[in-house]
Amino acid sequence: MSRILYSFVVDRGSKFAYQAWHLAHSLVTHCGALPSDIHIQCTPTADVGARQLFDAAGFRTHTLTPFGDKKYCNKLAQIENLPCDEALAVVLLDTDTIAVGDLRTWISGNTIRAKAVDFQNPPLDTLREIASLAELEPGDICTTDAGEADTFVGNCNGGMYAIPGYLARRLSAEWKRWANWLLAHPEPLRRVNREIHVDQVSFWLTLRATGLPFELAPSNANYFTHVTA
């Protein structure tokens, strides 16, 4: 079983459809993906015409039910729409990323992989406070990807999460649980104006709570298009 599924969200606005079109085709070109391996998750406000174009090109589209804050947590709702049991791995991508090489190099059928945050988002002390509230050990420290500060292993950039298929549903359930917990305990993130990172911080909490196998991925596994760097 070597099938890899790729999934990302399209929200309202032509920008998202444009990014999704190029991301989907980059996965076909560089990662050997079939169009049917690429799952485009459309929110209820996504452009209907764009969705029809994706369907006509052979990509799989789904209606995504917004989750949690229904803004920054929608990534967490993708796994339930995917045939995870048929896949070696499930890869959740930000729509403003693109494949410029073969992502399969960084994908494992045994270990969850994602890359460290670029910067200290949120600060280390904020993560320590959250872990204490959650009654969890924060874990090991690693360098942020830009190399300017430290963070905890598992506090990852949300651009790419590569999840073994056999772990996907368990991770999904726990990730949602911790996202809801974090939304109910917003003060540490609110104090540093980092509520937008609920999804990635709850991912870290999920790893700490479950002990699921995890390895850091390199920077090249997450190539973005929304800023110049």
Side-chain angles (χ1 to χ4, degrees), residues 117-159:
V117 289
D118 295 304
F119 303 102
Q120 204 177 55
N121 289 323
L124 206 61
D125 286 343
T126 300
L127 292 176
R128 284 196 180 97
E129 181 182 359
I130 291 170
S132 178
L133 283 172
E135 299 183 346
L136 296 171
E137 291 296 324
D140 295 331
I141 289 176
C142 66
T143 304
T144 57
D145 206 46
E148 298 176 353
D150 291 330
T151 192
F152 288 108
V153 173
N155 181 34
C156 293
N157 183 288

Side-chain angles (χ1 to χ4, degrees), residues 9-78:
V9 176
V10 171
D11 207 345
R12 176 175 55 192
S14 58
K15 176 183 74 172
F16 291 104
Y18 178 83
Q19 291 173 334
W21 183 260
H22 288 284
L23 172 56
H25 282 85
S26 76
L27 295 168
V28 172
T29 300
H30 295 293
C31 303
L34 299 174
S36 58
D37 294 331
I38 299 170
H39 294 253
I40 301 172
Q41 314 250 5
C42 301
T43 68
T45 58
D47 184 79
V48 174
R51 182 169 180 173
Q52 291 172 343
L53 289 174
F54 292 130
D55 286 330
F59 302 116
R60 299 284 301 278
T61 64
H62 306 271
T63 299
L64 180 138
T65 302
F67 175 78
D69 62 2
K70 299 176 172 57
K71 187 176 181 181
Y72 301 118
C73 293
N74 289 338
K75 179 177 291 174
L76 281 68
Q78 295 179 80

Side-chain angles (χ1 to χ4, degrees), residues 3 5 23 25 49 52 61 81 90 92 115-116 124 136 183:
R3 186 181 183 194
L5 306 181
L23 172 56
H25 282 85
Q52 291 172 343
T61 64
N81 286 337
V90 171
L92 307 183
K115 87 169 194 72
L124 206 61
L136 296 171
L183 289 168

